[in-house]
Structures are given as C-alpha cells and as structure tokens.
Amino acid sequence: FLLPSLKLENKTKWKLQKQICKVVLDHFEKQYTTELGDTWTSVRDVLTYPSCWQYAILLNKFSPSAELENTLCAKGYHPAFQGSLPYLPASFKCYIRRIPGRFPAQKHQAGKLKEYYLLNAASLLPVLALEVKDGEDVLDLCAAPGGKSVAVLQCAWPGHFHCNEYDDLRSRWLKQTMESFIPDPLIHLMTISKLDGRQIGDLKPELYDKVLVDAPCSNDRSWLFSSDIQQATLRLIQRKELPSLQFQLLRSAIKALRPGGSLVYSTCTLSKAENSDVINLLLNSCSNVMPVDMGEMAKAVSQEFTFLGGMQQHELLVLPEKEKAWGPMYLAKLKKV
C-alpha cells in the first residue's frame, strides 16, 4: 500500500507552491510578535514552510498490522510518547520520526477498516490528558473530523461514547471517519449527534465522566495558506467572536460533566484570546471548576514537544520548531467539584 516516492516528492513540491496569504500573515505578525516576542520568529519559519511539517501515524488497534509496524521502523519511525507518562495505555500506539514528510494516506473503503490515522502528534496530547478509562461515559463535544475520537477509542472503551458535531458537512466527515476506523458492533454502541454544543449541558446535565472540548478556533496552520483573500479577511473579522463561542461551549461542557469529572479544552491556535483568556474567564466565573496540574505530563513528553514557558500549571502550548514541527496546540485541564 506504499506509494512510490516520486508521488510523495510531487506532493511536497505542490505544498511548497501553496501561496502564503499575506493578509493572514500580517495579522499574525502583529498579534504574535506582541504575545510571543522573539519566539514567534522561529515558530513562523516552521508554519510558513510546509515541507518541514511532520505527521504522526496513529495505529488502529481494531485493524492491527505487524507488516505496517515493520515498514514504519524500516523508514526510521519510532514509537512516540516513550517517557513515563501519567497515562499511556498499552493499546495506544503512535509512530513519529524527526525527518519531515508524509506517509501515504489510506483511502476510505466501505466495509474495510483503515490501519492508521495521519495527524499532528500534538493533537494526541488532549486525549492523553483526558485519561479515559474503560466504562467511563465520555463526550467529545466538537468531534469532527474525528481524529481525537479515534484516539480516545485506542485508549479505552467508554461505557457510553457521545461524539457531537454541529456543522452538517463536518458531521458527515466525522461519520465517515468512524466507519473507517471502528468496527460495526462498536459503532452501534456510540452516539453521533449534530446538536448545538452550547446547549448540550442543558440537554444532558451531569451525564459524563470526561468531556473533551476541541473547540472551533482560528487554525493558524491552514489559515496561513487561505487561497481566497476575501474568505481570509472574513475569517479574521469573525476571529474576534471565537472566544465568546469557546466560552459558551466550555460552560455547556461543565454542565454536562458529573461532579468529580474532568474536562480538557484544546485549540490549534497560538492566540491568547482563544486559549488562556477563555480558561481564565471560566475559572473566574465558575466556582465549581478547579484547574488540574499538567506538569508531570509536560515533563514526560518534553523530548518530543516544545512548550511555551511561563504558562500556568493547568495549561500547555505546543510550539512548532524545526525537527519538532508539532503544534500549535493549546490544552488546559479542569475538574468539576
């Protein structure tokens, strides 16, 4: 199932030809120079140069392949997350390598499970931070395209797993992802819904042990390559409204969480307004929420990921850098008391 290297080379060349959107870059330049200082320069160099991006390979335990693991090892991949993580189930297998490049993706085939999922390795950190155990009731509030939902199921089998996606197109994408990775009998035990995430807390109060809020955000990586200037300009105007939506989703998620339950909030942006500011607002306005220290996790994965310094104990921000081009990925962990 491996593509010839020529095809991969062509893909890389095509990626280099993708045009950087100047409107977005100028906007980021102003904001992130203020927020990140000199760090922004090195982060910008990685984000604007797709040929140095890396992709992790999350193996699907429902479709195991020894041949695939041998192929990955032969190509210089090694298991990720090798530090002593507070939570790392044996069934969770992910391979990475320092050299850039993308392993060929598998096409969706009806009735056939894919063997692996290609993704940014940093996007697995929110799932590992959630620490899902067998039998727990879990809600993935903004689940599309489904990578984190698939990752949750590599860790454990929840008592009830509810994957929600409000957007119609993205909801179809989520369904297809689940069909590609999860066997039929198990899919039928899941709930896939198209509810407004802001209302789930009122509709399903205190129903879940764990909630993941991978919120809609300004996706720094893809926005930098917006091909449509008008769309990019509109996105930047609408960007100001995102923190309000993110806060409402978090409030809803807290209502849906049982007392004693945990929540992980994540985004794929560097923006302080969508990250720390949203979490601080929630902590200041909800007396039944406590921050959870993630220092141990950060220490365990510090060889694979670069984190922004000076953050609070309950939050991490993964910064892309050369040979560790993962992120941006912000995550914060909270507990309901």
Side-chain angles (χ1 to χ4, degrees):
F1 57 82
L2 295 179
L3 288 174
S5 58
L6 184 67
K7 253 188 181 174
L8 279 179
E9 273 174 30
N10 287 343
K11 262 189 175 177
T12 308
K13 279 177 191 159
W14 174 78
K15 277 202 156 164
L16 274 174
Q17 285 161 5
K18 277 167 59 170
Q19 292 296 305
I20 288 168
C21 181
K22 195 172 181 308
V23 177
V24 175
L25 184 59
D26 289 349
H27 180 89
F28 284 1
E29 200 75 56
K30 275 187 204 140
Q31 181 182 347
Y32 295 148
T33 302
T34 306
E35 290 179 14
L36 301 170
D38 295 342
T39 307
W40 164 241
T41 310
S42 57
V43 169
R44 182 192 59 206
D45 289 350
V46 173
L47 290 182
T48 55
Y49 194 64
S51 66
C52 74
W53 296 1
Q54 291 149 282
Y55 294 85
I57 296 160
L58 177 68
L59 303 195
N60 185 13
K61 71 177 182 185
F62 303 112
S63 180
S65 164
E67 186 192 345
L68 171 63
E69 291 198 60
N70 293 337
T71 303
L72 290 172
C73 291
K75 288 188 166 289
Y77 286 86
H78 63 272
F81 310 109
Q82 289 178 301
S84 53
L85 268 151
Y87 171 84
L88 187 67
S91 57
F92 185 90
K93 287 185 178 180
C94 175
Y95 281 82
I96 59 173
R97 65 175 181 179
R98 285 284 166 96
I99 310 159
R102 187 171 187 161
F103 202 70
Q106 290 180 309
K107 284 197 164 60
H108 174 71
Q109 289 176 275
K112 192 173 189 301
L113 293 183
K114 293 185 182 183
E115 294 172 349
Y116 58 89
Y117 192 103
L118 296 178
L119 75 181
N120 185 322
S123 64
L124 295 171
L125 293 176
V127 173
L128 294 173
L130 200 58
E131 301 188 25
V132 176
K133 310 286 194 301
D134 284 342
E136 288 182 325
D137 296 324
V138 181
L139 167 64
D140 188 348
L141 191 69
C142 315
K148 290 183 180 69
S149 299
V150 167
V152 165
L153 294 172
Q154 303 309 311
C155 294
W157 188 255
H160 177 220
F161 192 25
H162 181 178
C163 298
N164 182 67
E165 178 54 54
Y166 185 45
D167 182 85
D168 196 49
L169 188 68
R170 287 172 63 81
S171 181
R172 290 205 292 274
W173 191 2
L174 170 66
K175 275 187 178 156
Q176 189 179 76
T177 301
M178 288 299 143
E179 284 165 16
S180 291
F181 286 91
I182 314 303
D184 260 355
L186 297 182
I187 284 191
H188 298 315
L189 297 173
M190 294 169 58
T191 301
I192 298 177
S193 66
K194 285 200 298 184
L195 300 167
D196 183 337
R198 294 168 292 188
Q199 294 166 6
I200 280 184
D202 291 323
L203 295 169
K204 300 181 181 294
E206 301 194 349
L207 260 190
Y208 304 98
D209 301 297
K210 303 278 167 74
V211 179
L212 177 63
V213 184
D214 186 43
C217 67
S218 42
N219 184 329
D220 295 357
R221 264 183 199 242
S222 67
W223 281 24
L224 276 166
F225 294 92
S226 303
S227 51
D228 183 331
I229 299 282
Q230 277 182 304
Q231 185 200 37
T233 309
L234 185 64
R235 275 175 171 172
L236 293 174
I237 293 165
Q238 291 171 338
R239 192 179 199 208
K240 296 185 184 81
E241 295 160 24
L242 283 168
S244 170
L245 169 65
Q246 291 154 346
F247 177 71
Q248 289 172 62
L249 289 169
L250 271 172
R251 283 287 294 267
S252 174
I254 294 295
K255 286 181 186 174
L257 201 57
R258 289 183 180 129
S262 305
L263 175 149
V264 171
Y265 172 77
S266 60
T267 73
C268 51
T269 179
L270 298 160
S271 174
K272 187 172 167 286
E274 296 176 52
N275 296 338
S276 302
D277 290 356
V278 173
I279 291 295
N280 288 338
L281 182 61
L282 187 86
L283 287 169
N284 291 331
S285 60
C286 296
S287 57
N288 61 342
V289 179
M290 299 272 295
V292 179
D293 191 343
M294 285 201 292
E296 203 185 328
M297 179 185 197
K299 205 168 136 191
V301 296
S302 59
Q303 275 197 305
E304 305 290 8
F305 300 96
T306 301
F307 297 107
L308 179 66
M311 302 289 279
Q312 296 175 92
Q313 51 155 17
H314 56 274
E315 55 178 2
L316 300 171
L317 178 59
V318 180
L319 298 174
E321 65 171 35
K322 287 192 176 72
E323 295 192 358
K324 289 189 202 174
W326 314 116
M329 178 61 56
Y330 172 84
L331 58 151
K333 186 167 183 178
L334 308 169
K335 185 173 183 164
K336 185 172 180 178
V337 290

